[in-house]
Structure formats: C-alpha cells, structure tokens
Amino acid sequence: AASPDVHVRICGQEIIKYDLEIKALIQDIRECPGPQTVLTDLNSKVKEKFNRLRLRIQDLEQMAKEQDKESDKLAILQETEAHRKQMLSNQTAWRKANLSCKLAIDYLEKDELLQGGDSSVRQRKTTKESLAQSTSGITESLMSISRMMSQQVQQSEETVGSLATSSRTVLETNEEFKAMTGTIQLGRKLITKYNRREFTDKLLIYLAVALFVATVLYILKKRLFPFL
C-alpha cells in the first residue's frame, strides 16, 4: 500500500490550491465594478471553494489522528491548525471585500442618477470595462497557478497508484518465493529419504548374497569333503 505521508502531501497541496483560488476570487470582489448580479455570482463561487477547503482540512485532521508516530501526528495537527487559521483570515477578507464592493456599487449607482447624461454614462461604462479587463487578467494569472497545482496533485495521485502497484508486485513475488522455498525443502526431504532407503536396500542385498554364498560353500564342503 502507498505510504500515508503521500496522502498527507496530496491533501496539503489541494488545500493550498483552494486557498489560492479563494484569494483570487476575493480580489475579483474587491475590484468588481458591478452590477450586483456579478457580485452575487462571485460570492457563490467563493462559498463553493470554502466548502471544499473545509472538507479537505477535516480530511487532513483525520489523517493526523490515524498516524502511528506521535511526532507525525503533532506535525500534521499543527499544519491543520495553520490552514484553519488561514481559512478564517480569508473569510474575514471576504466579508471586507463584499462590504467595500457594495459601497462602491451603491456610490456608482447614485452618481449615475445624479450626473445623468449619455456621455457620463458611457465614460463610466468604459471605466468599468477597463476595471473588468484588469480584474480578468489578475484572475487568469491566479487560475493558471491553480491549474499548475492541480497538475501536481494529479501527478502525486499517479505516483500513489504506481507505488501501490509496485507494492502488490513485491508481495506477489514474495509469496511465489515462499512457495518455491517450500517446494525445494520438500524435495530435499524426499531425496534424503530416498538415499537412506537405497542404502538400506543395498545392505540387505549384500547380506543376502553373502548368506547365499556361505550356504553354497557349506553344501559343497559336505559333498566334496565329507571327512572334514
């Protein structure tokens, strides 16, 4: 089976990936020029990322409890606590970004009502589009980092699979070796037993031949030399 620390590393990498994605979305909220529907969509994405992040932090905490070594357990628990604190910090930043964005949207809407006129509306629209393009560029850069981390996570998962396959192969080879060793030992016992039996058979044959020769000599002696 794969080493437990591999699963811990994969979990930690996924937590970092979600953390970066959340930070990117919070930055988008800070710079969101509106309207309210765009802000609502961004908040929905942030909530989804926070839910996934919370689950992975819980998984990491459970892995810590399953460690055999106390030192490994404490190290992973410390890492878990650090990730949890970072998540709380992101939640605080999220609330502040929402407040700032809502105030900005309200201000722009009031300004449009007060200023009026097509030219000023077009100018503010151009400003919004410029801000949107800038935000999109930042988001794309952070998402690129997130994709790179996702690839790293996938590579780690493939490594886990490879380690598991290698482990099974080693176990199967070990079982075959044990079976072969048993067969060799059994063969050795049979050969030893056969050699002992062969020696016994040869000894009996020699004794029978000697007895036969002695009998023949005794008969010849009685017939040819009766006076002896």
Side-chain angles (χ1 to χ4, degrees):
S3 177
D5 62 337
V6 175
H7 294 294
V8 172
R9 286 199 301 272
I10 292 174
C11 186
Q13 289 168 356
E14 290 181 348
I15 289 172
I16 294 173
K17 181 190 74 170
Y18 290 135
D19 178 71
L20 287 173
E21 290 175 349
I22 289 171
K23 282 180 169 61
L25 290 169
I26 292 174
Q27 184 64 28
D28 288 347
I29 291 174
R30 288 195 187 99
E31 301 176 357
C32 176
Q36 184 65 38
T37 53
V38 176
L39 178 60
T40 301
D41 182 61
L42 288 171
N43 280 322
S44 177
K45 292 179 180 179
V46 173
K47 288 178 182 178
E48 180 185 357
K49 297 298 181 183
F50 267 123
N51 288 335
R52 293 184 180 180
L53 175 62
R54 191 176 294 106
L55 289 175
R56 294 310 283 152
I57 290 176
Q58 291 174 357
D59 291 339
L60 188 63
E61 186 175 24
Q62 182 61 33
M63 290 179 191
K65 295 177 181 178
E66 295 173 355
Q67 296 298 310
D68 295 329
K69 293 183 179 179
E70 187 67 20
S71 58
D72 292 342
K73 177 181 178 180
L74 292 175
I76 299 173
L77 284 175
Q78 289 178 354
E79 180 182 353
T80 303
E81 185 62 24
H83 288 310
R84 187 171 281 114
K85 289 180 179 179
Q86 183 61 45
M87 182 180 67
L88 294 174
S89 175
N90 285 337
Q91 289 175 337
T92 302
W94 179 32
R95 287 192 292 269
K96 290 181 179 179
N98 263 285
L99 179 59
S100 176
C101 182
K102 288 177 181 178
L103 290 173
I105 291 174
D106 290 342
Y107 176 79
L108 288 173
E109 289 176 350
K110 291 178 181 178
D111 186 55
E112 287 176 0
L113 291 173
L114 292 173
Q115 294 293 332
D118 293 338
S119 60
S120 60
V121 172
R122 284 196 298 270
Q123 183 178 1
R124 283 191 293 275
K125 184 178 180 180
T126 302
T127 303
K128 289 181 181 180
E129 291 176 351
S130 177
L131 286 173
Q133 290 177 356
S134 176
T135 301
S136 177
I138 295 173
T139 303
E140 184 62 29
S141 297
L142 290 172
M143 288 303 178
S144 177
I145 296 173
S146 174
R147 284 193 294 271
M148 291 175 62
M149 295 198 66
S150 297
Q151 292 175 357
Q152 186 177 2
V153 170
Q154 184 177 0
Q155 291 176 356
S156 299
E157 290 175 349
E158 292 175 355
T159 301
V160 170
S162 177
L163 288 172
T165 302
S166 300
S167 178
R168 284 195 297 270
T169 302
V170 171
L171 290 174
E172 291 173 358
T173 303
N174 187 41
E175 291 298 325
E176 292 178 358
F177 177 75
K178 289 181 179 179
M180 189 180 297
T181 302
T183 303
I184 293 173
Q185 290 177 349
L186 179 61
R188 183 182 299 171
K189 290 179 180 179
L190 290 173
I191 291 172
T192 303
K193 184 177 180 180
Y194 175 77
N195 288 336
R196 290 176 180 174
R197 185 173 180 180
E198 185 180 14
F199 174 76
T200 303
D201 291 343
K202 287 181 179 180
L203 182 60
L204 291 174
I205 291 171
Y206 290 150
L207 290 175
V209 170
L211 180 61
F212 175 76
V213 171
T215 303
V216 170
L217 291 175
Y218 177 76
I219 294 172
L220 290 175
K221 177 184 175 184
K222 287 295 183 180
R223 292 186 176 182
L224 296 176
F225 307 102
F227 50 87
L228 294 178

